[in-house]
Amino acid sequence: MILLGLTGSIGMGKSTTAAMFAAEGVPVYDADAEVHRLYVQGGAAVGPVGEAFPGVVRDGAVDRAALSAQVVGKPEALQRLEAIVHPLVAQSRAAFFEKAQAAGADVVLLDIPLLYETGGEARVDKVVVVSAPPEVQRARVLARPGMTEAKLDAILDRQLPDAEKRRMADFVVDTAQGLDFAHDQVRKILATVRFQAGPA
């Protein structure tokens, strides 16, 4: 089974590209969505996160804004949070792999926003980076409700620059030239990795 890692900076079209892989029959594991599931009412992270960070659980779920206020800019607190969340995410990822393998999938996609920033490229076979020119990226992100130039710059400061991601990638999907063009690139990537893998 070929593991593809999908990443890209904010506003590059990563979620749309992940959906294109899914449309081609590739099982997709969304790391961000999994963390969201762990934080909702009944989620496996609610209890331990509430104990480690008093006051962040409201109505039985983790209040992400309250949690963020306790960990952003505090490396020790962030490490404490990661020590709780990362093993839970790893468990769900292992279950996802088992299910995909049982279904006979030859390729799976791991959608991980901070893939390079967390060293995740070492755990996948190939990396796909979703990219678009800076002016397209800024226009997309600033069109989001509540987004400001200052907020965008703060987010970009925490992410590896797009040019660096593209340089390190095995494949790049350009999302600035329309959905059909991007989907065509996705199909070509799948054809290439399957050809390189050879017969099962």
Side-chain angles (χ1 to χ4, degrees), residues 10 138 141-142 147-159:
I10 185 170
R138 292 192 86 82
V141 180
L142 291 172
M147 185 55 73
T148 63
E149 293 270 2
K151 275 188 192 172
L152 173 55
D153 289 337
I155 291 167
L156 291 174
D157 283 346
R158 293 200 302 272
Q159 297 184 341

Side-chain angles (χ1 to χ4, degrees), residues 21-45:
F21 277 96
E24 293 299 316
V26 175
V28 175
Y29 180 85
D30 184 335
D32 266 6
E34 185 54 39
V35 173
H36 278 280
R37 275 194 290 275
L38 292 171
Y39 285 172
V40 298
Q41 206 165 12

